[in-house]
Amino acid sequence: MSEPTPNSTIDPDDTIKILVASDIHLGYNEKDVIRGEDSFIAFEEVLQHALENDVDAIILGGDLFHIANPSTNTLNRCSRLLKTYLLGDKPIKLEFLSDQNENFLESLNKTVNYEDPNMNIAIPMFSIHGNHDDPSGFGRISSLDLLSTNGYVNYFGKWTDLTKINISPILLKKGETKMALYGLSYISDARLARLFNEAKVFLEKPEDTDWFNVMVVHQNRADRGPKNYLPEKSLPAFLDLVIWGHEHDCRIIPEENPNKKFYVSQPGSTVATSLAEGEALDKCCGILSIHKSLFRLDPIRLQTVRPFIFESVNMAEYFDELGLDEGDVQQKMQNFAAERIEDMIKRAKEKLTGNEKQPKVPLIRLRLEITDVEQQFNAIRFGQQYSGRVANPQDMIVFKKKITKAKDELKPLDKDALLEAYQNQREATTNRAEEVVDRYFKEADEDKQLELLCSKSMSELTKRMVDYEDDDAADCIIKFYERQVMNHLEGQAVNEDNIDEVLEGFRSKERDTYNDMLKMLDSRNQKGPLATDTTRSNAHDSDEDNDDKPKANSTSIFVPPATTAGTGRGGKGSRGGRGSRSTAASNSTGRGRGRGRGASNSSSSKIDSFLTHTTKPVVSSRASSRNISKVVYISDEGDDE
């Protein structure tokens, strides 16, 4: 990494400036009287920062919406915000150089929205989908498809064929700076791992070596077990920056991968969708500035986020002090909790920013690690006294059972004991509806067992209805099994005596039937292959606290920005009037519309130095679309071949 370039050599006309954010979760808890506005307030602040900093574009890392089929209220609120902040007469200085038919295959006009003569875009927004707003239900349409059809969002990184992934980048240019933008919308981690293992993931790379390569992904980043996350080492070394969505902990300061040497920025969520420790970190968006092969990212702390204080207390440390082995233990615990809650409410006031739109009533989560069930009290009844002072009085306190043993009592566990301990822990921590259903039918008495459907099918049905709000799933699954059973019974001599034996033959094909059912669900109303994977990862949305989540890196590796003058609109590369279109051969110098407007002088948008990021060599090649002639194969270990 070379020394930062002096700001005197940085030409704003050669600098691409982008606002980066992720996991907006519009519509989360929208029916809650207290917290229903939180997601919309935070998103509006993000859009305001984009406008104030005069950015060239906005990039979102997925989960713009909290559910795949958002309510009409959420869609309306989102459309109003996008129309207010993204439309206008500002000329666009980004030239679009790649094949738009490949980049926006699923869009109505198959073109970037600011080159659509029917749209008047001032700030283009580019977004992939996440696991919450992925295509699902009838027609396999994502909520982002609707915004793309309306022309508000450039929806990229959507896959209609998950038998292989070939990512063609969006190529953008401003002056002397060229950026290649890759998008990988959410795919279940297990399926993505399988595609890597089968060598079916490709990234097309521009022929020239002077492109700054940015990739946007929405997967598990933290190691949650084999095939349950996307290892950074799986990504190719030629990338310069990875914008990582899905994880809600804010780690927006870019962190260098020691092996591949690219940087990873994890913006985190803009609203707390669970009461986990990582959600209590400051919420941020950021201004990404790219100048040729150099970049910097300036975090912006959001001022309208509801204060959230998280605290975990191991009651074993207070056992003797509180005398928890005698007297009214529950009352002693309640007195202790009340004292802690009052202190947390006081600390929450320190997070108030003075912004008039910031919600004032805080979120509080006190986790008490207890050693005896007698220490547990009614947390819901206890929380009622904090109604109006705390935004979540009913789930303000949670208990975590922690059993401690003396050293002489500890004994090595055999394999069966370890397996049993793991299963007990998994059952104790899971709260997903489909897992509850699956566990119920697996453990149910023999007279309550399913005779035709397998438990996995029932859990899939539950997940589709609860997570995806897919009202057609139950009807489709039941009718599918009806057809399969009838096909199995045809041609066989069935009577009352042998019906159980014949059906046992059907149940023996349980795995094949289940896989066929998944294919049926995913291919509904589609002419092509599988639209997207249906398995969701809700690790960051569970109310269970993830102690293993990586914490924010507070070390800054950037030189503080200096104050420089803003720049006006127009000039080389700016967008012209309606119908004008930039090409690879020339800059668009058409007539700009509306009044000229200088850029914001906000210190967070100033650029004086960047980090050097060296472009890596290409290993393999293949002819492709215009401006792209290299294809890099990614193996399961992330090596280029």
Side-chain angles (χ1 to χ4, degrees):
M1 184 173 69
S2 68
E3 293 297 322
T5 306
N7 66 311
S8 58
T9 66
I10 301 297
D11 186 350
D13 290 333
D14 294 331
T15 302
I16 299 177
K17 188 159 48 172
I18 300 169
L19 183 136
V20 176
S22 184
D23 294 84
I24 309 297
H25 287 273
L26 288 178
Y28 172 74
N29 235 354
E30 64 178 324
K31 295 182 180 180
D32 188 292
V33 176
I34 298 177
R35 303 169 62 185
E37 296 290 314
D38 290 8
S39 62
F40 302 104
I41 293 174
F43 185 47
E44 182 170 17
E45 184 185 353
V46 170
L47 296 175
Q48 287 173 345
H49 286 303
L51 190 64
E52 293 169 0
N53 287 279
D54 194 30
V55 299
D56 297 303
I58 298 172
I59 293 179
L60 299 182
D63 280 354
L64 174 59
F65 294 96
H66 185 63
I67 60 174
N69 302 311
S71 67
T72 52
N73 172 66
T74 296
L75 282 174
N76 180 59
R77 296 284 297 275
C78 177
S79 298
R80 289 170 67 93
L81 288 173
L82 296 180
K83 185 175 182 179
T84 300
Y85 291 96
L86 302 188
L87 302 188
D89 294 325
K90 172 189 170 185
I92 306 297
K93 299 181 181 180
L94 293 177
E95 299 178 57
F96 201 102
L97 305 181
S98 53
D99 187 347
Q100 302 187 35
N101 287 322
E102 290 187 11
N103 298 141
F104 307 114
L105 180 64
E106 297 296 317
S107 68
L108 175 64
N109 297 322
K110 293 182 173 56
T111 181
V112 66
N113 61 356
Y114 64 82
E115 291 190 0
D116 185 344
N118 297 313
M119 296 298 297
N120 195 17
I121 301 295
I123 305 177
M125 176 182 287
F126 297 87
S127 180
I128 62 174
H129 73 247
N131 60 308
H132 280 262
D133 52 13
D134 64 342
S136 63
F138 182 78
R140 307 296 296 168
I141 298 298
S142 166
S143 48
L144 287 177
D145 283 305
L146 303 180
L147 297 181
S148 174
T149 300
N150 291 335
Y152 293 135
V153 174
N154 298 297
Y155 177 23
F156 70 111
K158 178 181 179 180
W159 309 111
T160 56
D161 181 3
L162 287 184
T163 60
K164 63 179 179 179
I165 296 178
N166 191 14
I167 306 176
S168 179
I170 292 174
L171 301 181
L172 300 170
K173 180 181 178 184
K174 181 182 178 184
E176 298 298 320
T177 299
K178 297 187 290 186
M179 180 182 73
L181 179 62
Y182 299 84
L184 180 61
S185 289
Y186 172 76
I187 302 172
S188 82
D189 295 293
R191 172 166 284 178
L192 188 58
R194 185 165 64 251
L195 290 172
F196 276 125
N197 292 334
E198 296 174 355
K200 294 181 179 179
V201 181
F202 297 86
L203 265 70
E204 297 180 358
K205 185 179 179 183
E207 182 176 13
D208 300 332
T209 59
D210 54 350
W211 290 84
F212 188 86
N213 300 292
V214 179
M215 186 171 187
V216 188
V217 302
H218 191 97
Q219 304 291 148
N220 282 331
R221 182 184 179 191
D223 187 348
R224 295 186 172 92
K227 298 184 179 181
N228 274 329
Y229 77 113
L230 174 62
E232 291 182 14
K233 67 179 182 179
S234 297
L235 300 178
F238 75 83
L239 294 173
D240 297 299
L241 176 67
V242 179
I243 299 172
W244 208 296
H246 186 64
E247 301 284 2
H248 283 205
D249 301 21
C250 181
R251 297 166 61 186
I252 197 168
I253 299 294
E255 304 166 8
E256 185 179 21
N257 182 282
N259 298 319
K260 295 303 183 72
K261 302 303 180 183
F262 53 64
Y263 287 84
V264 179
S265 174
Q266 181 178 301
S269 65
T270 60
V271 63
T273 61
S274 68
L275 299 179
E277 186 173 4
E279 295 273 23
L281 299 174
D282 289 340
K283 302 294 186 183
C284 297
C285 61
I287 301 296
L288 171 64
S289 303
I290 303 171
H291 180 78
K292 298 182 180 178
S293 62
L294 312 173
F295 82 100
R296 66 174 293 135
L297 200 156
D298 296 307
I300 300 176
R301 180 191 170 195
L302 299 180
Q303 304 294 303
T304 59
V305 175
R306 184 181 298 276
F308 176 26
I309 300 295
F310 178 96
E311 185 174 329
S312 181
V313 180
N314 184 358
M315 296 309 301
E317 299 176 2
Y318 296 88
F319 190 86
D320 294 332
E321 179 182 340
L322 298 178
L324 297 180
D325 56 346
E326 59 183 3
D328 192 343
V329 176
Q330 289 191 0
Q331 187 60 49
K332 292 179 180 180
M333 288 289 295
Q334 291 188 52
N335 294 339
F336 177 84
E339 183 179 342
R340 288 283 179 159
I341 294 295
E342 291 296 336
D343 179 67
M344 295 171 73
I345 293 175
K346 183 179 179 180
R347 280 188 284 147
K349 293 180 180 179
E350 298 174 1
K351 286 195 170 188
L352 295 177
T353 63
N355 190 298
E356 61 180 10
K357 291 188 176 182
Q358 183 185 26
K360 304 301 187 293
V361 183
L363 290 169
I364 299 294
R365 168 51 63 87
L366 176 60
R367 183 175 64 186
L368 299 175
E369 298 180 1
I370 60 177
T371 57
D372 194 308
V373 70
E374 293 182 0
Q375 299 171 7
Q376 188 169 339
F377 56 86
N378 191 320
I380 297 178
R381 182 179 301 171
F382 176 84
Q384 290 175 354
Q385 60 185 306
Y386 293 93
S387 180
R389 299 182 61 201
V390 173
N392 60 311
Q394 290 188 337
D395 56 359
M396 183 175 59
I397 295 178
V398 293
F399 295 94
K400 182 177 181 180
K401 188 72 176 295
K402 188 172 184 178
I403 304 299
T404 58
K405 293 184 178 181
K407 290 185 177 180
D408 57 347
E409 293 179 349
L410 295 177
K411 297 180 180 179
L413 292 175
D414 57 25
K415 182 182 295 186
D416 294 336
L418 284 172
L419 179 60
E420 182 180 358
Y422 168 76
Q423 291 174 339
N424 292 338
Q425 180 185 22
R426 187 172 184 272
E427 291 181 7
T429 57
T430 183
N431 64 347
R432 296 170 61 182
E434 64 270 21
E435 294 197 17
V436 174
V437 171
D438 184 59
R439 191 167 68 250
Y440 171 80
F441 282 109
K442 285 183 177 179
E443 299 175 357
D445 296 335
E446 185 175 349
D447 59 338
K448 296 180 181 179
Q449 292 284 352
L450 294 169
E451 296 187 0
L452 298 180
L453 276 71
C454 64
S455 60
K456 291 174 63 178
S457 298
M458 284 298 299
S459 62
E460 181 69 23
L461 185 154
T462 306
K463 180 180 66 176
R464 297 265 178 166
M465 297 186 68
V466 174
D467 288 349
Y468 287 149
E469 296 192 5
D470 184 357
D471 297 333
D472 300 317
D475 187 56
C476 290
I477 291 175
I478 298 301
K479 288 184 177 179
F480 171 80
Y481 269 88
E482 282 183 2
R483 291 194 300 269
Q484 295 297 105
V485 172
M486 294 305 297
N487 291 338
H488 179 76
L489 295 177
E490 285 182 359
Q492 300 192 49
V494 182
N495 53 54
E496 293 183 1
D497 296 329
N498 69 353
I499 182 65
D500 290 335
E501 182 180 345
V502 174
L503 290 179
E504 184 63 31
F506 174 78
R507 288 192 292 270
S508 67
K509 301 185 297 181
E510 177 180 297
R511 181 174 180 179
D512 293 337
T513 306
Y514 174 75
N515 290 332
D516 290 341
M517 182 203 70
L518 290 181
K519 293 178 181 178
M520 177 277 298
L521 288 173
D522 285 338
S523 62
R524 281 180 294 167
N525 303 287
Q526 282 214 107
K527 297 179 181 178
L530 215 59
T532 187
D533 194 83
T534 59
T535 304
R536 292 178 179 268
S537 173
N538 292 323
H540 64 281
D541 276 334
S542 172
D543 280 345
E544 296 297 330
D545 307 325
N546 189 348
D547 293 330
D548 297 328
K549 271 195 172 184
K551 304 302 183 292
N553 185 351
S554 59
T555 303
S556 175
I557 56 176
F558 296 89
V559 177
T563 303
T564 59
T567 58
R569 294 195 290 160
K572 181 175 68 173
S574 61
R575 183 190 64 176
R578 289 185 183 274
S580 65
R581 183 184 295 266
S582 300
T583 65
S586 63
N587 292 331
S588 172
T589 56
R591 185 177 57 193
R593 292 177 291 170
R595 298 184 301 274
R597 181 177 61 198
S600 168
N601 287 325
S602 171
S603 62
S604 64
S605 68
K606 305 304 180 265
I607 305 165
D608 70 337
S609 59
F610 297 78
L611 288 178
T612 297
H613 205 83
T614 307
T615 306
K616 287 78 181 177
V618 179
V619 180
S620 61
S621 63
R622 187 182 72 182
S624 185
S625 57
R626 70 179 163 128
N627 293 306
I628 301 177
S629 63
K630 308 287 184 178
V631 176
V632 177
Y633 156 69
I634 309 175
S635 72
D636 58 334
E637 295 298 326
D639 298 326
D640 301 335
E641 296 183 358

